[in-house]
Amino acid sequence: MLTAALIILMCPIHADTGTQAVLYQSTFATDPHWTTNNPSTDYWDPSAEQYHFGIQPSTGNYAYSPPINYVNGSFTLEYDIHLTEMDPGATLRLGFTGTDMDFNKGPNVITAFTNSKYGLIMVLHSVTESAIQEEVTSDMSSYPGPTVTYALNTTYHVKVDYNADTDVVTETVTNKETGGQVWSYFITIPGSLKNMNRIYIGNVGDYGTMGLFAFGWVDNVRLMAAIPATPTTPTSQPTTPLPTYTPHPATKTTTPVVFMPIPTTTKKSPSSGLVAIAALGIIGACAVARMMNKKK
């Protein structure tokens, strides 16, 4: 559990690589038509419906698939492997590579099972076209975790993911029978991987001791790669024509408005009323005086 926790914490978060399509697949139920320079040990077994290999260092023997149409981008390589013999110093390599099929020459992404001083350990290896090599093994001297080993006569499922967005390659090895994860780790590649065209088994470029063998079986090989996004042509929306208007001069009939002055009430001067009252008083006084003179 501690190992699994360490691996989960150390593995990077993968970006979404989009929809993938199968570029190559073989269950070996029929002849896969792989090419080999050593048919005595590398051959398709129709009764087992698997591909048998016998790899010996320094012989340069190999077997590889028909051409695969891959240019660049993210991919996933998967296969099942059952190792029956692994002499000390021997190595079985299986990966996605270019025409050289040399694990020292790029481009390639190679998984390997070897028998080293650390025991039966697993390897993830890659070389770019510019010859920059990255490698990690499942022993504690290579990565920040405990040494993890595999067992002979056990079937494992190996999965390799290359994320072209982050240039990270991750290998995950699972026990095929139990479904339990055995080991998983990653390497970061300085640059993109491209121009690989075959899946191969072999030790081309290995200069180990003669007479050491790695024997076993390979089954259920599949390579998937991301499908480039199809450019979307913007759909032109129908344009609704704007209504047109014919301008007409606006004729306005202006009716003159006659403003009638508001009648105002003329106020009588208060002095005219007082004069009239005073005159009447004088006339009355004169009449009284005359009447008094007549009586006398």
Side-chain angles (χ1 to χ4, degrees):
M1 292 180 66
L2 177 59
T3 301
L6 286 172
I7 291 171
I8 291 171
L9 289 173
M10 291 183 291
C11 288
I13 297 174
H14 291 214
D16 184 11
T17 57
T19 304
Q20 291 193 331
V22 176
L23 297 188
Y24 179 82
Q25 181 169 294
S26 179
T27 62
F28 300 100
T30 58
D31 189 350
H33 299 290
W34 283 27
T35 301
T36 180
N37 64 346
N38 192 355
S40 63
T41 59
D42 305 327
Y43 54 86
W44 170 59
D45 188 332
S47 60
E49 296 188 352
Q50 298 182 79
Y51 197 87
H52 182 271
F53 61 83
I55 302 298
Q56 179 183 189
S58 294
T59 62
N61 64 308
Y62 56 76
Y64 64 91
S65 70
I68 296 172
N69 184 21
Y70 166 84
V71 179
N72 54 33
S74 301
F75 66 80
T76 299
L77 172 63
E78 297 181 81
Y79 65 92
D80 294 338
I81 188 167
H82 186 96
L83 292 154
T84 58
E85 181 180 335
M86 182 68 69
D87 293 335
T91 300
L92 177 278
R93 296 183 178 92
L94 189 154
F96 190 30
T97 181
T99 55
D100 286 329
M101 296 183 296
D102 186 335
F103 76 97
N104 290 307
K105 297 179 181 179
N108 64 48
V109 172
I110 296 171
T111 61
F113 291 79
T114 187
N115 190 348
S116 72
K117 66 178 182 179
Y118 298 101
L120 301 174
I121 61 172
M122 294 151 282
V123 183
L124 174 61
H125 172 99
S126 180
V127 182
T128 65
E129 286 185 301
S130 56
I132 300 176
Q133 179 174 305
E134 299 290 338
E135 183 175 283
V136 64
T137 62
S138 66
D139 65 85
M140 63 185 302
S141 67
S142 179
Y143 83 111
T147 297
V148 180
T149 60
Y150 64 92
L152 297 178
N153 299 305
T154 302
T155 303
Y156 294 99
H157 180 74
V158 181
K159 182 178 181 182
V160 180
D161 287 304
Y162 168 58
N163 190 314
D165 295 329
T166 59
D167 290 327
V168 171
V169 180
T170 304
E171 177 182 2
T172 302
V173 180
T174 305
N175 187 307
K176 181 82 171 181
E177 298 169 3
T178 66
Q181 181 174 293
V182 178
W183 184 67
S184 181
Y185 206 69
F186 66 95
I187 55 177
T188 301
I189 298 172
S192 301
L193 290 172
K194 56 184 178 179
N195 299 325
M196 297 180 291
N197 59 9
R198 65 192 63 187
I199 295 168
Y200 102 115
I201 302 171
N203 272 37
V204 178
D206 193 345
Y207 305 103
T209 306
M210 295 288 290
L212 305 178
F213 285 91
F215 285 107
W217 305 85
V218 171
D219 199 3
N220 300 316
V221 176
R222 182 174 67 170
L223 177 71
M224 301 180 68
I227 301 173
T230 303
T232 303
T233 304
T235 303
S236 300
Q237 297 295 328
T239 304
T240 303
L242 295 175
T244 56
Y245 298 94
T246 303
H248 294 284
T251 305
K252 293 184 179 180
T253 303
T254 305
T255 304
V257 179
V258 180
F259 295 96
M260 299 298 294
I262 298 174
T264 57
T265 305
T266 305
K267 296 182 180 180
K268 296 181 179 180
S269 174
S271 59
S272 59
L274 294 175
V275 172
I277 294 172
L280 290 174
I282 293 172
I283 294 172
C286 291
V288 171
R290 287 176 180 175
M291 289 179 63
M292 291 297 294
N293 291 330
K294 287 180 179 181
K295 287 181 178 183
K296 292 178 178 181

